[in-house]
Amino acid sequence: MEFLSSILDLVPCLYDHTSKHTLYIRDLKKNIEALSKEMEKLNNLYEDVKAGVERAEQQQMKRRKEVGGWIREVEDMEKEGNEILRRGDQEIQKRCLGCCPRNCWSSYRIGKAVSEKLVAVSGQISKGHFDVVADMLPRPPVDELPMEEIVGSELTYDRICRCLKDPQVGIVGLYGMGGVGKTTLLKKINNDFLTTSTDFDVVIWVVVSKPSNIEKIQEVIWNKLQFPRDIWEIRSTKEEKAVEILRVLKTKKFVLLLDDIWERLDLLQMGVPHLDAQNKSKIVFTTRSQDVCHQMKAHKSIEVVCLSSEAAWTLFQKEVGEETLKSHPHILRLANIVADECKGLPLALITLGRAMAGEKDPSNWEKVLQDLSKFPAEISGMEDELFHRLKVSYDRLPDNVIKSCFTYFSLFPEDLEISNENLIEYWIGEGFLGEVHDIHEARDQGYKIIKKLKQACLLESCSLKEKRVKMHDVIHDMVLWLESECGKKKNKFSLNSDDFWLKESQEIPDLKTANKMSLWDENVEELLEPLVYPNLETLIVACNKLKKFPSGFFQFMPLIRVLDLSDNENLSELPTGIELGLVLAVVATAGLLGRLQHPFRFDLAGIEFCGLPLLSAFFA
C-alpha cells in the first residue's frame, strides 16, 4: 500500500511538468505574437532613452553606467529576439495542418526559447523607464586633453602656475614663435587641474585660430557650462548669447584657456565678465604675437623660448629612440649634430626625431645633415609638419611690404647678426620703403617693421641694447623654402621670378637670370671670374680674401639698386664699369671708399632715389 501511495503522489508532479512542456509547444504561435509586440515596445523605449541621452550629452553631460549598460543590453537583446522570432516563424510553417508539430523536441526547444525571451524583454522594459537628465552624471569641471610630455619648459610652467595663484593677475598671455611649445604648456595647465586641489568651478578649453569666430567660441563655452540646450537655441544673436553666458559665468569661478589667438578678442562681446580680485577667475591664452598680449591687456606676458641644448638633446633622444641611437658607434655623434641644427625648437626636434627613428645606417644620418644645410624640406615631415605650420606666421603678416622685408633674410646666411641700421638701408635701397617723404621717415618705417617682425616672433633681438637682430635657424630655413616657391624650385630663393641665393659655393644653374645675389664664400673670386650677370640688381659680397673684381664684371649690368662690399677687408680696387649711371643706390660702402687704392668719385648731388637724396641716405 505504501508503494502505491508513492506512485499516486508522483503522478501530479509528472503531470505538472509534462503540462508545462506541452504549453511551450501548444502556445508557440501565441507567444511569438506576444514577443513580437514586446520587442516593438522595447525598441520604442530604446529610441526614446537614446534620444534623451544624446540631448543630454550635447549639453556636455556624461551618461551613468547604468543607462549605458541598459542600452547595450537592449541592442544585444534585439539581435537575439529577432533570431528567435525567425526560428519560431519557421517552426509554425512546418506544422502539419497548422497545429501538429512534425518534431516535438524541436518545437519544444523553440517554444521554451520564445517563452523565456518574452519574460526577459518584459523585464527589460520595466527597467528602462529612466529620467534621462536626472540619471546623467555631469561632466567633470575639467576635460583631459591628449598631450606630449613637456621637456625642458619646467621653469616657464612654474611661472605660469605662480600667476594662476596670484590674485592680482587675471589674464596671462603666453607668446612665442610657432612650434616652441605654447599649446603643450597650455594643455598641461588644463590637465593639471584634474589632479590638483582647486576651488575653480569649471575649466574651459577653446581653440580660437584665425579668423576668430565669436559665435563658435560662445558655443564651446556654453556647452561646457552644461545648461539646457533649449534655452541656448532660442538665443538667435551673439549679443543674446553673450547675455546668457555672462549671467552664468558671473556665478562661477572659472578658468578660460584660449589657444592660438591671432588678434584681440572682445571678451565682453563673448559674454566673459571682467576679471578682478574678487571673482578670482583666470584667463590664459597663447599667441605668436607679443602685440596681441598688449591688445588683450594681459596682466602678465610670458615668452615661451626655445629649449636649452641639454633639454633639446633629451627631447630628440626620446623621439629617435634608444635602440636607434645605440645601433652604431657613429650615430650618437651624428644625432647630436642633427639635434643642434634645430636650435632648441621643439617642433623641429620632434619632426626630425620621428623622421630618424629606426634609421640605423650612419650614411643616411650624414645625408640628413647635408639636406639640412641645402634643402631641409626634402627630409621626411619637414615640409608638412614644420614649414607649413611655421608659414602661418608669414601668411598673417599684415601687408606685402613687411613680407618682402621678412623674406629679404634669404640673402643672409644662418646665424648672421645684422644691425638694424644696415638692414633698413638694404630695404630702402630695394625700394621697399618707398611711400615716405624723407630718409628719417623711411628709417622710422624700417624700425616699425623690425618691431612688428620681433613681436610676431619671426626675428630675435641680439645683445648690444637690441641694436642688432637675427633669425632663428629653422625660421631661416622656412624663408628659403618660401623663396623656392614652397619647395617647387630648389634653386630659386625669391618672391620674384628670377631671384637666386648663393651660399657656400653652391652651384646654381641659369645665373644669368639672377637679379639678387649674396656671396659669403671664402673662394668667391672663383665664382665671379667666368660669369656675366646682365640682370643683377642686388649684390652683397662678404669675403675676407677678395682683393679685386674681375675686369668687366659690372660692364653688362644696366642697373644696380643695392651694392654692399663693406665686409671685404682686402678689397682695394674696384673694376671699371661702376659709374653714376650704374649705381642707383649704394648701401654700406662708405667704409670701403677709404681703403681703395684708386677711389672713385661719386657726385651724388641732386640725385634722388625713391624720393630720397642718395648722399644723405647712404653716407650721412
Side-chain angles (χ1 to χ4, degrees), residues 553-582:
F553 180 79
F554 292 94
Q555 184 174 355
F556 299 101
M557 300 178 193
L559 174 69
I560 293 270
R561 300 172 69 92
V562 174
L563 175 63
D564 184 357
L565 308 177
S566 59
D567 289 331
N568 298 276
E569 295 180 358
N570 295 318
L571 183 61
S572 58
E573 181 179 346
L574 288 176
T576 57
I578 294 184
E579 49 193 46
L580 182 59
L582 170 69

PDB file of all heavy atoms in Angstrom, residues 553-582:
ATOM      1  N   PHE A 553      83.478  92.929 -64.834  1.00  0.00           N
ATOM      2  CA  PHE A 553      82.420  92.233 -64.106  1.00  0.00           C
ATOM      3  C   PHE A 553      81.113  93.029 -64.119  1.00  0.00           C
ATOM      4  O   PHE A 553      80.025  92.467 -64.253  1.00  0.00           O
ATOM      5  CB  PHE A 553      82.861  92.000 -62.661  1.00  0.00           C
ATOM      6  CG  PHE A 553      81.845  91.298 -61.817  1.00  0.00           C
ATOM      7  CD1 PHE A 553      81.681  89.920 -61.909  1.00  0.00           C
ATOM      8  CD2 PHE A 553      81.039  92.009 -60.936  1.00  0.00           C
ATOM      9  CE1 PHE A 553      80.729  89.276 -61.135  1.00  0.00           C
ATOM     10  CE2 PHE A 553      80.086  91.362 -60.161  1.00  0.00           C
ATOM     11  CZ  PHE A 553      79.932  89.987 -60.256  1.00  0.00           C
ATOM     12  N   PHE A 554      81.195  94.367 -63.985  1.00  0.00           N
ATOM     13  CA  PHE A 554      79.996  95.194 -63.946  1.00  0.00           C
ATOM     14  C   PHE A 554      79.627  95.769 -65.317  1.00  0.00           C
ATOM     15  O   PHE A 554      78.680  96.539 -65.417  1.00  0.00           O
ATOM     16  CB  PHE A 554      80.197  96.363 -62.966  1.00  0.00           C
ATOM     17  CG  PHE A 554      80.298  95.928 -61.533  1.00  0.00           C
ATOM     18  CD1 PHE A 554      81.533  95.703 -60.938  1.00  0.00           C
ATOM     19  CD2 PHE A 554      79.158  95.747 -60.773  1.00  0.00           C
ATOM     20  CE1 PHE A 554      81.622  95.318 -59.615  1.00  0.00           C
ATOM     21  CE2 PHE A 554      79.246  95.358 -59.448  1.00  0.00           C
ATOM     22  CZ  PHE A 554      80.477  95.132 -58.858  1.00  0.00           C
ATOM     23  N   GLN A 555      80.345  95.371 -66.333  1.00  0.00           N
ATOM     24  CA  GLN A 555      80.216  96.031 -67.638  1.00  0.00           C
ATOM     25  C   GLN A 555      78.826  95.857 -68.240  1.00  0.00           C
ATOM     26  O   GLN A 555      78.291  96.765 -68.879  1.00  0.00           O
ATOM     27  CB  GLN A 555      81.274  95.485 -68.598  1.00  0.00           C
ATOM     28  CG  GLN A 555      81.289  96.187 -69.952  1.00  0.00           C
ATOM     29  CD  GLN A 555      82.446  95.699 -70.802  1.00  0.00           C
ATOM     30  OE1 GLN A 555      83.276  94.923 -70.349  1.00  0.00           O
ATOM     31  NE2 GLN A 555      82.495  96.169 -72.045  1.00  0.00           N
ATOM     32  N   PHE A 556      78.211  94.668 -68.052  1.00  0.00           N
ATOM     33  CA  PHE A 556      76.940  94.383 -68.713  1.00  0.00           C
ATOM     34  C   PHE A 556      75.743  94.500 -67.763  1.00  0.00           C
ATOM     35  O   PHE A 556      74.682  93.965 -68.028  1.00  0.00           O
ATOM     36  CB  PHE A 556      76.975  92.974 -69.318  1.00  0.00           C
ATOM     37  CG  PHE A 556      78.048  92.798 -70.344  1.00  0.00           C
ATOM     38  CD1 PHE A 556      79.237  92.154 -70.023  1.00  0.00           C
ATOM     39  CD2 PHE A 556      77.885  93.298 -71.630  1.00  0.00           C
ATOM     40  CE1 PHE A 556      80.231  92.000 -70.971  1.00  0.00           C
ATOM     41  CE2 PHE A 556      78.876  93.141 -72.584  1.00  0.00           C
ATOM     42  CZ  PHE A 556      80.062  92.492 -72.245  1.00  0.00           C
ATOM     43  N   MET A 557      75.969  95.182 -66.632  1.00  0.00           N
ATOM     44  CA  MET A 557      74.869  95.373 -65.686  1.00  0.00           C
ATOM     45  C   MET A 557      74.288  96.765 -65.886  1.00  0.00           C
ATOM     46  O   MET A 557      74.932  97.760 -65.559  1.00  0.00           O
ATOM     47  CB  MET A 557      75.364  95.228 -64.251  1.00  0.00           C
ATOM     48  CG  MET A 557      75.961  93.866 -63.943  1.00  0.00           C
ATOM     49  SD  MET A 557      76.571  93.783 -62.240  1.00  0.00           S
ATOM     50  CE  MET A 557      77.525  92.266 -62.315  1.00  0.00           C
ATOM     51  N   PRO A 558      73.062  96.853 -66.384  1.00  0.00           N
ATOM     52  CA  PRO A 558      72.490  98.174 -66.652  1.00  0.00           C
ATOM     53  C   PRO A 558      72.117  98.937 -65.385  1.00  0.00           C
ATOM     54  O   PRO A 558      72.048 100.157 -65.401  1.00  0.00           O
ATOM     55  CB  PRO A 558      71.246  97.856 -67.484  1.00  0.00           C
ATOM     56  CG  PRO A 558      70.874  96.464 -67.074  1.00  0.00           C
ATOM     57  CD  PRO A 558      72.159  95.762 -66.781  1.00  0.00           C
ATOM     58  N   LEU A 559      71.867  98.231 -64.275  1.00  0.00           N
ATOM     59  CA  LEU A 559      71.367  98.908 -63.084  1.00  0.00           C
ATOM     60  C   LEU A 559      71.714  98.084 -61.845  1.00  0.00           C
ATOM     61  O   LEU A 559      71.514  96.882 -61.808  1.00  0.00           O
ATOM     62  CB  LEU A 559      69.839  99.062 -63.169  1.00  0.00           C
ATOM     63  CG  LEU A 559      69.140  99.626 -61.929  1.00  0.00           C
ATOM     64  CD1 LEU A 559      69.514 101.086 -61.743  1.00  0.00           C
ATOM     65  CD2 LEU A 559      67.640  99.464 -62.056  1.00  0.00           C
ATOM     66  N   ILE A 560      72.247  98.756 -60.835  1.00  0.00           N
ATOM     67  CA  ILE A 560      72.458  98.127 -59.527  1.00  0.00           C
ATOM     68  C   ILE A 560      71.690  98.939 -58.492  1.00  0.00           C
ATOM     69  O   ILE A 560      71.903 100.136 -58.338  1.00  0.00           O
ATOM     70  CB  ILE A 560      73.956  98.100 -59.131  1.00  0.00           C
ATOM     71  CG1 ILE A 560      74.725  97.196 -60.048  1.00  0.00           C
ATOM     72  CG2 ILE A 560      74.101  97.642 -57.681  1.00  0.00           C
ATOM     73  CD1 ILE A 560      74.811  95.761 -59.623  1.00  0.00           C
ATOM     74  N   ARG A 561      70.775  98.302 -57.817  1.00  0.00           N
ATOM     75  CA  ARG A 561      69.992  99.002 -56.790  1.00  0.00           C
ATOM     76  C   ARG A 561      70.714  98.963 -55.445  1.00  0.00           C
ATOM     77  O   ARG A 561      70.722  99.942 -54.707  1.00  0.00           O
ATOM     78  CB  ARG A 561      68.609  98.367 -56.655  1.00  0.00           C
ATOM     79  CG  ARG A 561      67.782  98.385 -57.926  1.00  0.00           C
ATOM     80  CD  ARG A 561      66.514  97.562 -57.764  1.00  0.00           C
ATOM     81  NE  ARG A 561      65.587  98.194 -56.848  1.00  0.00           N
ATOM     82  CZ  ARG A 561      64.618  99.034 -57.241  1.00  0.00           C
ATOM     83  NH1 ARG A 561      64.488  99.331 -58.533  1.00  0.00           N
ATOM     84  NH2 ARG A 561      63.805  99.568 -56.362  1.00  0.00           N
ATOM     85  N   VAL A 562      71.245  97.803 -55.082  1.00  0.00           N
ATOM     86  CA  VAL A 562      71.916  97.627 -53.794  1.00  0.00           C
ATOM     87  C   VAL A 562      73.262  96.969 -54.034  1.00  0.00           C
ATOM     88  O   VAL A 562      73.332  95.897 -54.638  1.00  0.00           O
ATOM     89  CB  VAL A 562      71.081  96.762 -52.829  1.00  0.00           C
ATOM     90  CG1 VAL A 562      71.877  96.469 -51.562  1.00  0.00           C
ATOM     91  CG2 VAL A 562      69.769  97.447 -52.482  1.00  0.00           C
ATOM     92  N   LEU A 563      74.330  97.627 -53.591  1.00  0.00           N
ATOM     93  CA  LEU A 563      75.680  97.075 -53.704  1.00  0.00           C
ATOM     94  C   LEU A 563      76.355  97.198 -52.344  1.00  0.00           C
ATOM     95  O   LEU A 563      76.549  98.291 -51.835  1.00  0.00           O
ATOM     96  CB  LEU A 563      76.491  97.826 -54.761  1.00  0.00           C
ATOM     97  CG  LEU A 563      77.969  97.425 -54.895  1.00  0.00           C
ATOM     98  CD1 LEU A 563      78.089  95.975 -55.344  1.00  0.00           C
ATOM     99  CD2 LEU A 563      78.679  98.362 -55.855  1.00  0.00           C
ATOM    100  N   ASP A 564      76.680  96.051 -51.726  1.00  0.00           N
ATOM    101  CA  ASP A 564      77.335  96.052 -50.418  1.00  0.00           C
ATOM    102  C   ASP A 564      78.640  95.276 -50.533  1.00  0.00           C
ATOM    103  O   ASP A 564      78.652  94.061 -50.714  1.00  0.00           O
ATOM    104  CB  ASP A 564      76.433  95.408 -49.373  1.00  0.00           C
ATOM    105  CG  ASP A 564      77.051  95.483 -47.965  1.00  0.00           C
ATOM    106  OD1 ASP A 564      78.189  95.978 -47.851  1.00  0.00           O
ATOM    107  OD2 ASP A 564      76.380  95.061 -47.011  1.00  0.00           O
ATOM    108  N   LEU A 565      79.760  96.022 -50.448  1.00  0.00           N
ATOM    109  CA  LEU A 565      81.092  95.415 -50.497  1.00  0.00           C
ATOM    110  C   LEU A 565      81.852  95.702 -49.205  1.00  0.00           C
ATOM    111  O   LEU A 565      83.083  95.565 -49.164  1.00  0.00           O
ATOM    112  CB  LEU A 565      81.875  95.970 -51.692  1.00  0.00           C
ATOM    113  CG  LEU A 565      81.173  95.903 -53.060  1.00  0.00           C
ATOM    114  CD1 LEU A 565      82.043  96.569 -54.121  1.00  0.00           C
ATOM    115  CD2 LEU A 565      80.849  94.477 -53.430  1.00  0.00           C
ATOM    116  N   SER A 566      81.129  96.076 -48.156  1.00  0.00           N
ATOM    117  CA  SER A 566      81.792  96.601 -46.962  1.00  0.00           C
ATOM    118  C   SER A 566      82.563  95.541 -46.184  1.00  0.00           C
ATOM    119  O   SER A 566      83.525  95.860 -45.506  1.00  0.00           O
ATOM    120  CB  SER A 566      80.749  97.257 -46.055  1.00  0.00           C
ATOM    121  OG  SER A 566      79.758  96.320 -45.680  1.00  0.00           O
ATOM    122  N   ASP A 567      82.150  94.291 -46.238  1.00  0.00           N
ATOM    123  CA  ASP A 567      82.808  93.245 -45.451  1.00  0.00           C
ATOM    124  C   ASP A 567      83.878  92.525 -46.262  1.00  0.00           C
ATOM    125  O   ASP A 567      83.958  91.292 -46.270  1.00  0.00           O
ATOM    126  CB  ASP A 567      81.769  92.241 -44.936  1.00  0.00           C
ATOM    127  CG  ASP A 567      80.899  92.842 -43.854  1.00  0.00           C
ATOM    128  OD1 ASP A 567      81.393  93.731 -43.141  1.00  0.00           O
ATOM    129  OD2 ASP A 567      79.739  92.422 -43.732  1.00  0.00           O
ATOM    130  N   ASN A 568      84.698  93.288 -46.953  1.00  0.00           N
ATOM    131  CA  ASN A 568      85.812  92.729 -47.730  1.00  0.00           C
ATOM    132  C   ASN A 568      87.064  93.518 -47.381  1.00  0.00           C
ATOM    133  O   ASN A 568      87.433  94.476 -48.065  1.00  0.00           O
ATOM    134  CB  ASN A 568      85.511  92.816 -49.233  1.00  0.00           C
ATOM    135  CG  ASN A 568      84.280  92.021 -49.633  1.00  0.00           C
ATOM    136  OD1 ASN A 568      84.339  90.816 -49.864  1.00  0.00           O
ATOM    137  ND2 ASN A 568      83.139  92.704 -49.691  1.00  0.00           N
ATOM    138  N   GLU A 569      87.720  93.133 -46.315  1.00  0.00           N
ATOM    139  CA  GLU A 569      88.817  93.932 -45.779  1.00  0.00           C
ATOM    140  C   GLU A 569      89.997  94.025 -46.727  1.00  0.00           C
ATOM    141  O   GLU A 569      90.766  94.978 -46.673  1.00  0.00           O
ATOM    142  CB  GLU A 569      89.269  93.335 -44.441  1.00  0.00           C
ATOM    143  CG  GLU A 569      88.201  93.409 -43.360  1.00  0.00           C
ATOM    144  CD  GLU A 569      88.674  92.819 -42.055  1.00  0.00           C
ATOM    145  OE1 GLU A 569      89.833  92.321 -42.026  1.00  0.00           O
ATOM    146  OE2 GLU A 569      87.913  92.843 -41.072  1.00  0.00           O
ATOM    147  N   ASN A 570      90.169  93.042 -47.603  1.00  0.00           N
ATOM    148  CA  ASN A 570      91.323  93.046 -48.507  1.00  0.00           C
ATOM    149  C   ASN A 570      91.015  93.668 -49.866  1.00  0.00           C
ATOM    150  O   ASN A 570      91.895  93.740 -50.717  1.00  0.00           O
ATOM    151  CB  ASN A 570      91.838  91.621 -48.712  1.00  0.00           C
ATOM    152  CG  ASN A 570      92.392  91.026 -47.431  1.00  0.00           C
ATOM    153  OD1 ASN A 570      93.081  91.710 -46.686  1.00  0.00           O
ATOM    154  ND2 ASN A 570      92.066  89.767 -47.163  1.00  0.00           N
ATOM    155  N   LEU A 571      89.796  94.092 -50.058  1.00  0.00           N
ATOM    156  CA  LEU A 571      89.426  94.676 -51.345  1.00  0.00           C
ATOM    157  C   LEU A 571      89.988  96.092 -51.435  1.00  0.00           C
ATOM    158  O   LEU A 571      89.651  96.961 -50.627  1.00  0.00           O
ATOM    159  CB  LEU A 571      87.906  94.700 -51.494  1.00  0.00           C
ATOM    160  CG  LEU A 571      87.366  95.216 -52.822  1.00  0.00           C
ATOM    161  CD1 LEU A 571      87.832  94.351 -53.984  1.00  0.00           C
ATOM    162  CD2 LEU A 571      85.838  95.278 -52.785  1.00  0.00           C
ATOM    163  N   SER A 572      90.835  96.322 -52.412  1.00  0.00           N
ATOM    164  CA  SER A 572      91.489  97.633 -52.538  1.00  0.00           C
ATOM    165  C   SER A 572      91.272  98.257 -53.904  1.00  0.00           C
ATOM    166  O   SER A 572      91.754  99.356 -54.153  1.00  0.00           O
ATOM    167  CB  SER A 572      92.997  97.487 -52.287  1.00  0.00           C
ATOM    168  OG  SER A 572      93.560  96.565 -53.203  1.00  0.00           O
ATOM    169  N   GLU A 573      90.565  97.581 -54.778  1.00  0.00           N
ATOM    170  CA  GLU A 573      90.405  98.112 -56.128  1.00  0.00           C
ATOM    171  C   GLU A 573      89.057  97.684 -56.686  1.00  0.00           C
ATOM    172  O   GLU A 573      88.673  96.520 -56.594  1.00  0.00           O
ATOM    173  CB  GLU A 573      91.526  97.587 -57.029  1.00  0.00           C
ATOM    174  CG  GLU A 573      91.455  98.107 -58.456  1.00  0.00           C
ATOM    175  CD  GLU A 573      92.598  97.580 -59.299  1.00  0.00           C
ATOM    176  OE1 GLU A 573      93.563  97.041 -58.716  1.00  0.00           O
ATOM    177  OE2 GLU A 573      92.520  97.692 -60.531  1.00  0.00           O
ATOM    178  N   LEU A 574      88.325  98.629 -57.237  1.00  0.00           N
ATOM    179  CA  LEU A 574      87.064  98.328 -57.904  1.00  0.00           C
ATOM    180  C   LEU A 574      87.291  98.227 -59.409  1.00  0.00           C
ATOM    181  O   LEU A 574      88.140  98.923 -59.954  1.00  0.00           O
ATOM    182  CB  LEU A 574      86.033  99.413 -57.627  1.00  0.00           C
ATOM    183  CG  LEU A 574      85.443  99.460 -56.217  1.00  0.00           C
ATOM    184  CD1 LEU A 574      84.521 100.664 -56.095  1.00  0.00           C
ATOM    185  CD2 LEU A 574      84.679  98.178 -55.928  1.00  0.00           C
ATOM    186  N   PRO A 575      86.528  97.410 -60.055  1.00  0.00           N
ATOM    187  CA  PRO A 575      86.687  97.283 -61.508  1.00  0.00           C
ATOM    188  C   PRO A 575      86.086  98.462 -62.247  1.00  0.00           C
ATOM    189  O   PRO A 575      85.252  99.193 -61.707  1.00  0.00           O
ATOM    190  CB  PRO A 575      85.915  95.998 -61.815  1.00  0.00           C
ATOM    191  CG  PRO A 575      84.852  95.964 -60.762  1.00  0.00           C
ATOM    192  CD  PRO A 575      85.498  96.524 -59.533  1.00  0.00           C
ATOM    193  N   THR A 576      86.499  98.614 -63.462  1.00  0.00           N
ATOM    194  CA  THR A 576      85.869  99.633 -64.295  1.00  0.00           C
ATOM    195  C   THR A 576      84.442  99.199 -64.589  1.00  0.00           C
ATOM    196  O   THR A 576      84.122  98.021 -64.624  1.00  0.00           O
ATOM    197  CB  THR A 576      86.633  99.788 -65.622  1.00  0.00           C
ATOM    198  OG1 THR A 576      86.673  98.504 -66.274  1.00  0.00           O
ATOM    199  CG2 THR A 576      88.045 100.272 -65.382  1.00  0.00           C
ATOM    200  N   GLY A 577      83.591 100.158 -64.824  1.00  0.00           N
ATOM    201  CA  GLY A 577      82.199  99.832 -65.113  1.00  0.00           C
ATOM    202  C   GLY A 577      81.262 100.362 -64.054  1.00  0.00           C
ATOM    203  O   GLY A 577      80.066 100.485 -64.286  1.00  0.00           O
ATOM    204  N   ILE A 578      81.803 100.682 -62.863  1.00  0.00           N
ATOM    205  CA  ILE A 578      80.948 101.290 -61.841  1.00  0.00           C
ATOM    206  C   ILE A 578      80.993 102.787 -62.042  1.00  0.00           C
ATOM    207  O   ILE A 578      82.030 103.419 -61.928  1.00  0.00           O
ATOM    208  CB  ILE A 578      81.443 100.945 -60.430  1.00  0.00           C
ATOM    209  CG1 ILE A 578      81.283  99.442 -60.167  1.00  0.00           C
ATOM    210  CG2 ILE A 578      80.643 101.720 -59.391  1.00  0.00           C
ATOM    211  CD1 ILE A 578      81.658  99.042 -58.774  1.00  0.00           C
ATOM    212  N   GLU A 579      79.869 103.361 -62.355  1.00  0.00           N
ATOM    213  CA  GLU A 579      79.796 104.801 -62.545  1.00  0.00           C
ATOM    214  C   GLU A 579      78.402 105.261 -62.134  1.00  0.00           C
ATOM    215  O   GLU A 579      77.526 104.450 -61.810  1.00  0.00           O
ATOM    216  CB  GLU A 579      80.080 105.168 -64.006  1.00  0.00           C
ATOM    217  CG  GLU A 579      79.276 104.355 -64.985  1.00  0.00           C
ATOM    218  CD  GLU A 579      79.790 104.489 -66.398  1.00  0.00           C
ATOM    219  OE1 GLU A 579      81.007 104.410 -66.614  1.00  0.00           O
ATOM    220  OE2 GLU A 579      78.951 104.698 -67.277  1.00  0.00           O
ATOM    221  N   LEU A 580      78.193 106.527 -62.138  1.00  0.00           N
ATOM    222  CA  LEU A 580      76.957 107.087 -61.592  1.00  0.00           C
ATOM    223  C   LEU A 580      75.730 106.530 -62.275  1.00  0.00           C
ATOM    224  O   LEU A 580      74.726 106.238 -61.631  1.00  0.00           O
ATOM    225  CB  LEU A 580      76.980 108.619 -61.722  1.00  0.00           C
ATOM    226  CG  LEU A 580      75.754 109.351 -61.143  1.00  0.00           C
ATOM    227  CD1 LEU A 580      75.629 109.038 -59.664  1.00  0.00           C
ATOM    228  CD2 LEU A 580      75.853 110.832 -61.374  1.00  0.00           C
ATOM    229  N   GLY A 581      75.775 106.334 -63.572  1.00  0.00           N
ATOM    230  CA  GLY A 581      74.617 105.798 -64.279  1.00  0.00           C
ATOM    231  C   GLY A 581      74.319 104.378 -63.897  1.00  0.00           C
ATOM    232  O   GLY A 581      73.221 103.880 -64.107  1.00  0.00           O
ATOM    233  N   LEU A 582      75.311 103.673 -63.331  1.00  0.00           N
ATOM    234  CA  LEU A 582      75.137 102.265 -62.987  1.00  0.00           C
ATOM    235  C   LEU A 582      74.560 102.094 -61.591  1.00  0.00           C
ATOM    236  O   LEU A 582      73.668 101.297 -61.362  1.00  0.00           O
ATOM    237  CB  LEU A 582      76.494 101.551 -63.057  1.00  0.00           C
ATOM    238  CG  LEU A 582      76.552 100.130 -62.501  1.00  0.00           C
ATOM    239  CD1 LEU A 582      75.774  99.203 -63.395  1.00  0.00           C
ATOM    240  CD2 LEU A 582      78.000  99.675 -62.401  1.00  0.00           C
TER     241      LEU A 582
END
